[in-house]
Amino acid sequence: MDNIEQAPDITAFLASSIHDMKNSISVLINFMEDQLADIETQDSPALRKMAPMLYEVKRVNSNLIQLLTIYKVGNTVYPFDLTENSLGEFMEDILSQSKHLLDYQGIQMECEFDPDLYWYFDRELVSGVISHALNNSAHYTQNKLRLSAHQTDAGLEFHIEDNGQGYPPSVLETGHAIEQGVNFSTGSTGLGLYFSSMVAKMHKNQGKTGSITLKNGGAYGGGCFILRLP
Amino acid sequence: MAIISDASSLFSSKSFLIVDDFQGMRSMMREMLKAFGAKDIDMCSNGSEAIAQIGKSKYDVVLCDYNLGSGRNGQQVLEEAKFRNLIGPSTAWIMVTAEKTSEMVLGAAEYTPDDYIIKPINETTIKTRILKAMAKKEALFDIEKAAKAKNHTKALALCDEQLKNAGSNTTELLRIKTNLLLSTSHYEGAKQLFEQILAVRDVPWAKTGLAKVYFQTADYDTARSLLEEVVEEHRSYLEAYDWLAKTLEQIGELSEAQRVLVRCAELSPNSVMRQRTLGEIAQKRGDLDVAEKAFRKTLVLGEHSVLKTHHAYLGLAKICSDKNNPAEALKILSSVQKEFDSAETTLQAKVAEGMVYRKSGDLVNAKKVAQEVAATVKEIANRVPSQISVEAAELMMETGDKESASELLQMAVKNNHEDEKLISLVNGVYTKGNMQEEGKKLVEASRKEVAETNNRGISLAREGKLDDAVEMLRNAKTMLPNNTRILMNLAYVMVLHMQKNGHNNTLIREARESVDRVAKLNPSEKRLSQLVGMLEALPG
């Protein structure tokens, strides 16, 4: 069988293209945030048009980052950086990144954590998981969000809760399947959940492994996303 | 003391350098810093300018883009600044980057930035990170300064002091403390601390550190299994690969060591040091193709790096010579003497040059070079590692100057009379010069002579004649400055002297010097940490 052409290695192209797209999107986000900051009145028509645009662009950006990270972890070239982080600084970072968008969308955010707590995790990966969950909740909530973090027997737990309709049963099942390590067929949220679950599992300590849970109910009765890090 | 409470006045009291190749990015960062309150801000657009600028003025904070276009990247600029001592413990280096790389995050601790920020950058993030980095530098300044001045006892005391009211810098303090313990050969103390840390949390640096303790105390099997655990659990933790390869090399598993290094080089494709080590292991195994590729890559990577190394040039020259390409070998050897301005490197290159001529059958030139080598080595033999003297002796032996060669070999034996590896190298050189029997006798005589001096020194000490013992071993040390047994015994006798007769500034300085020299020549010397402990325990 000499005449079979070898299939090109598409993954390398995909990875470099994603990298390139991610850089363009970053420029776009910086530009849009600058523009939004220049709009003086909070109630202008421009703002109302711009906010959903920013949401969509951020979603694309976070998807690209997740794809790239999954690719790198798969090739074991991701520099997993397990260091002690200040929860206070970490949360402040997260809040400052999501602040713009939540303000424009008119969503109220409540936050609760112990600023003096220190915990071991990879700053970029966990920040990716939390931002993604916040963005997701912001999309489905009515008008309220709650981000909290506290220490439990399982380790450090992050909760992201909203007052939306909650997760549909299909998503709850998918989430369950990922946790079981079962092969799953994706809905639209497959990537984010896969990424979050992968990040959780990369965090190990003393025989314990990190995990995620999706449920309905929680503080505001909507969706509740939980990330546990041992 | 004035307490500066608001961030703005803190920013206004510090100096900043922005390094970025894009004009737009530079002005955006400057505007940000100005908004935070900074007044003293310089900017430059590439690595060379940055090095020049850092050489001229002192900065509190450097914000450096990782990708600086052609020429050096941000990591190489940082390495050069640290290597050349252009920045001290008070400068915070923050790397701004599109993505984090292994070198930046998990590379050698002395060359990692204080923090990194992933683009797109956000005002609040950059502000908190800068404030945090400045606070950390300030908190650790005294410790790092003491450590840099080799005042380890003070540095350790300061660490303990700060660990008492631990806060944000706990991990950093523990890392510094364990490093201090390791570098001063306090292996027992280091081991305890690592085990204490690991009992609470699986952190790769602590497990790797524990493996280092086992390596230094010659328990290579335990070191190996710990390191294998680390690379299994933390596949991108580079330092563990480095030590695993080193351990495997030590126990003679070279092909396994090569496999580990290939993997590690994939993870950190820009590391000069790892390509070089890969080349050396492959060369040792006789895998010339892999070695050649690795050495050539080392040269390319080293082009803009202050960490470039003459070893790769020498290794590559030898491979060219082995592959019957003496012309290229000689070209490489002449370039290494131009690129590296050091007597030791020049000597090594000269020796290699002579070997290339000899191998290619050009005995006239080989002899000429050997004469030059003989003249130089006489002057600097005591300052270069004994292995290099043995290489020089081999060239002299093979080009007919048996007398000078033998003299040099005896010196090497006397400096290393208990080092079986070196002795067997020496015997090999005698065999090549058809002096096997004669050489063996000479080697034995030299070993015996040194052993006797040592024993006499120790007997004098046992008899309580401590002054005489010190005097005798001190003279031996002057003759044989690289003999670890003599250095150890000298330090030991000096400790006995001070235990009996009290503190003595000269003795304590000399004893410390001896111990430091041993730690450098043979860090795995078993009694070293015990001796260090005795020295520290001396009153006053």
Side-chain angles (χ1 to χ4, degrees):
Chain A
M1 299 263 192
D2 300 322
N3 56 353
I4 291 180
E5 252 187 54
Q6 208 170 353
D9 178 15
I10 189 81
T11 49
F13 278 122
L14 282 176
S16 57
S17 313
I18 291 173
H19 191 85
D20 195 44
M21 289 189 272
K22 186 176 73 74
N23 288 343
S24 297
I25 297 279
S26 294
V27 174
L28 199 55
I29 291 178
N30 272 340
F31 175 76
M32 290 175 81
E33 288 192 330
D34 277 359
Q35 295 295 306
L36 280 168
D38 282 347
I39 300 175
E40 304 221 330
T41 52
Q42 286 289 309
D43 195 30
S44 75
L47 187 70
R48 278 199 295 275
K49 276 187 206 154
M50 198 81 146
M53 274 167 68
L54 182 59
Y55 165 78
E56 294 299 337
V57 173
K58 280 201 158 180
R59 232 169 64 87
V60 173
N61 188 49
S62 111
N63 283 350
L64 293 175
I65 291 175
Q66 290 174 2
L67 280 172
L68 203 58
T69 309
I70 291 170
Y71 170 79
K72 285 185 180 170
V73 171
N75 286 282
T76 64
V77 290
Y78 182 83
F80 184 58
D81 187 14
L82 188 67
T83 42
E84 201 170 27
N85 290 290
S86 148
L87 192 61
E89 281 163 20
F90 178 77
M91 292 295 240
E92 224 170 279
D93 247 22
I94 296 268
L95 294 179
S96 73
Q97 280 166 31
S98 47
K99 188 179 173 305
H100 280 301
L101 195 57
L102 294 176
D103 284 354
Y104 307 140
Q105 291 174 320
I107 295 171
Q108 244 184 39
M109 164 110 125
E110 194 187 286
C111 209
E112 189 208 315
F113 57 89
D114 174 3
D116 296 325
L117 188 62
Y118 287 84
W119 207 262
Y120 275 89
F121 53 85
D122 182 297
R123 191 169 69 193
E124 274 68 38
L125 288 181
V126 174
S127 151
V129 172
I130 305 291
S131 307
H132 177 80
L134 278 176
N135 236 15
N136 204 43
S137 284
H139 193 60
Y140 292 105
T141 189
Q142 286 179 40
N143 57 3
K144 275 163 87 178
L145 269 189
R146 185 168 192 273
L147 168 64
S148 60
H150 51 271
Q151 194 177 346
T152 68
D153 290 344
L156 181 64
E157 272 192 27
F158 290 94
H159 286 229
I160 291 126
E161 292 150 306
D162 61 59
N163 63 350
Q165 295 288 312
Y167 294 101
S170 63
V171 173
L172 288 176
E173 270 164 40
T174 310
H176 189 65
I178 290 169
E179 278 307 284
Q180 305 280 307
V182 176
N183 218 346
F184 60 97
S185 58
T186 60
S188 61
T189 50
L191 175 66
L193 279 181
Y194 181 82
F195 174 79
S196 304
S197 172
M198 178 190 82
V199 169
K201 284 180 189 156
M202 285 170 80
H203 288 83
K204 292 177 190 145
N205 185 38
Q206 311 278 320
K208 286 189 262 180
T209 304
S211 65
I212 58 167
T213 300
L214 302 181
K215 62 178 191 184
N216 288 330
Y220 298 151
C224 175
F225 173 93
I226 302 169
L227 170 69
R228 292 182 203 87
L229 303 172
Chain B
M1 206 171 76
I3 295 168
I4 303 169
S5 55
D6 71 315
S8 177
S9 49
L10 193 55
F11 272 98
S12 76
S13 68
K14 304 280 181 184
S15 56
F16 296 83
L17 178 66
I18 298 166
V19 188
D20 201 301
D21 54 334
F22 284 110
Q23 167 63 38
M25 198 65 185
R26 286 198 299 272
S27 19
M28 190 191 95
M29 300 261 253
R30 188 181 54 189
E31 290 316 308
M32 257 189 209
L33 289 176
K34 276 187 182 166
F36 298 156
K39 294 198 175 72
D40 184 355
I41 307 168
D42 286 337
M43 301 193 291
C44 47
S45 65
N46 62 47
S48 308
E49 281 178 27
I51 288 295
Q53 198 64 37
I54 296 164
K56 256 192 302 187
S57 353
K58 219 165 142 314
Y59 292 98
D60 296 305
V61 179
V62 179
L63 287 165
C64 180
D65 189 43
Y66 177 74
N67 193 344
L68 294 171
S70 59
R72 275 168 285 209
N73 64 32
Q75 180 65 28
Q76 290 172 328
V77 177
L78 168 63
E79 283 166 3
E80 179 157 354
K82 287 219 178 181
F83 186 85
R84 290 174 51 193
N85 259 325
L86 299 177
I87 53 171
S90 61
T91 302
W93 192 288
I94 299 175
M95 207 71 91
V96 181
T97 176
E99 57 178 339
K100 55 181 179 181
T101 68
S102 300
E103 279 100 345
M104 198 187 298
V105 183
L106 306 162
E110 65 263 42
Y111 296 122
T112 48
D114 294 288
D115 205 350
Y116 52 88
I117 299 173
I118 312 273
K119 293 188 215 173
I121 55 172
N122 154 306
E123 231 178 270
T124 320
T125 306
I126 205 164
K127 189 175 178 183
T128 19
R129 299 285 172 82
I130 292 174
L131 284 170
K132 189 181 156 196
M134 291 194 300
K136 187 174 99 178
K137 283 285 145 184
E138 206 168 305
L140 302 179
F141 179 76
D142 290 336
I143 299 175
E144 294 199 23
K145 198 175 145 201
K148 217 166 181 181
K150 299 245 176 282
N151 193 347
H152 295 124
T153 320
K154 185 178 170 195
L156 275 171
L158 287 168
C159 272
D160 286 335
E161 184 66 35
Q162 287 205 29
L163 277 167
K164 269 186 217 153
N165 26 29
S168 59
N169 295 319
T170 311
T171 312
E172 201 60 32
L173 285 167
L174 285 171
R175 286 184 89 140
I176 295 176
K177 184 174 175 187
T178 50
N179 275 338
L180 283 167
L181 290 170
L182 281 177
S183 63
T184 50
S185 315
H186 281 85
Y187 299 127
E188 198 45 48
K191 189 176 163 214
Q192 276 172 18
L193 193 49
F194 283 130
E195 282 169 346
Q196 230 170 296
I197 297 165
L198 288 168
V200 190
R201 164 80 43 188
D202 289 338
V203 269
W205 67 265
K207 209 173 215 180
T208 306
L210 186 58
K212 285 185 210 169
V213 171
Y214 284 109
F215 181 94
Q216 300 294 22
T217 49
D219 183 350
Y220 302 116
D221 290 335
T222 311
R224 178 189 183 168
S225 63
L226 280 171
L227 291 164
E228 282 174 343
E229 276 173 43
V230 181
V231 301
E232 178 57 36
E233 288 157 16
H234 304 273
R235 296 200 171 166
S236 49
Y237 193 68
L238 299 172
E239 207 192 1
Y241 287 90
D242 295 336
W243 281 86
L244 181 54
K246 216 169 145 168
T247 309
L248 290 165
E249 186 185 359
Q250 192 71 33
I251 51 185
E253 293 203 23
L254 296 184
S255 67
E256 191 58 19
Q258 182 173 326
R259 202 187 57 78
V260 169
L261 284 168
V262 167
R263 177 83 193 102
C264 185
E266 279 168 14
L267 289 170
S268 60
N270 296 321
S271 162
V272 180
M273 181 266 289
R274 292 191 180 97
Q275 287 294 338
R276 167 202 156 183
T277 319
L278 173 59
E280 286 176 344
I281 291 276
Q283 187 167 38
K284 218 169 159 182
R285 292 183 62 218
D287 191 344
L288 295 190
D289 292 334
V290 170
E292 180 176 352
K293 217 175 119 201
F295 283 141
R296 288 198 191 277
K297 193 148 184 224
T298 316
L299 301 197
V300 175
L301 290 176
E303 197 187 341
H304 298 295
S305 167
V306 75
L307 301 175
K308 69 178 175 181
T309 152
H310 65 282
H311 296 90
Y313 289 79
L314 296 172
L316 187 57
K318 181 152 191 314
I319 288 168
C320 290
S321 172
D322 286 345
K323 286 188 163 179
N324 288 321
N325 185 358
E328 194 185 357
L330 292 172
K331 211 174 113 200
I332 294 166
L333 290 171
S334 98
S335 74
V336 73
Q337 295 176 58
K338 276 179 227 135
E339 298 246 355
F340 298 88
D341 182 24
S342 115
E344 190 179 318
T345 306
T346 307
L347 177 63
Q348 275 180 289
K350 274 280 159 206
V351 171
E353 194 184 320
M355 291 294 191
V356 173
Y357 280 126
R358 196 189 163 290
K359 196 163 165 46
S360 67
D362 182 350
L363 293 183
V364 178
N365 271 316
K367 209 160 197 162
K368 210 176 109 201
V369 174
Q371 279 163 359
E372 284 176 50
V373 167
T376 325
V377 82
K378 261 189 195 134
E379 284 168 35
I380 61 170
N382 264 338
R383 277 184 283 135
V384 299
S386 296
Q387 284 233 352
I388 299 177
S389 307
V390 176
E391 280 169 26
E394 185 177 349
L395 175 66
M396 284 143 70
M397 187 68 93
E398 296 205 348
T399 49
D401 187 358
K402 293 190 178 181
E403 198 180 321
S404 311
S406 186
E407 230 172 83
L408 203 53
L409 290 173
Q410 292 314 306
M411 200 59 194
V413 170
K414 286 181 188 170
N415 264 315
N416 304 272
H417 72 292
E418 292 175 343
D419 182 343
E420 297 301 334
K421 259 190 198 159
L422 192 107
I423 304 269
S424 93
L425 282 180
V426 168
N427 283 329
V429 176
Y430 275 119
T431 307
K432 278 189 186 157
N434 286 324
M435 292 177 68
Q436 196 166 3
E437 285 312 309
E438 198 185 339
K440 218 168 210 162
K441 273 181 211 151
L442 284 167
V443 167
E444 281 320 307
S446 296
R447 293 181 88 165
K448 210 174 140 198
E449 186 190 320
V450 180
E452 277 171 4
T453 308
N454 245 319
N455 291 341
R456 275 204 299 277
I458 291 296
S459 316
L460 284 170
R462 288 221 177 95
E463 291 161 26
K465 296 175 183 161
L466 291 170
D467 281 321
D468 295 343
V470 166
E471 197 51 35
M472 166 139 225
L473 289 166
R474 198 184 256 153
N475 288 337
K477 183 191 137 194
T478 314
M479 301 272 294
L480 306 169
N482 294 326
N483 188 304
T484 50
R485 179 62 54 219
I486 287 179
L487 291 167
M488 289 289 288
N489 284 337
L490 176 61
Y492 177 63
V493 168
M494 285 173 167
V495 168
L496 292 182
H497 192 288
M498 285 182 279
Q499 281 174 348
K500 193 173 162 201
N501 306 318
H503 186 81
N504 178 324
N505 278 331
T506 315
L507 290 185
I508 197 113
R509 188 175 43 79
E510 272 187 84
R512 282 238 168 83
E513 268 171 21
S514 301
V515 169
D516 287 347
R517 185 134 185 89
V518 174
K520 222 166 153 190
L521 292 164
N522 178 20
S524 58
E525 165 63 51
K526 282 203 183 82
R527 283 170 49 228
L528 190 56
S529 77
Q530 194 191 344
L531 195 52
V532 170
M534 289 172 79
L535 254 172
E536 308 266 313
L538 286 171

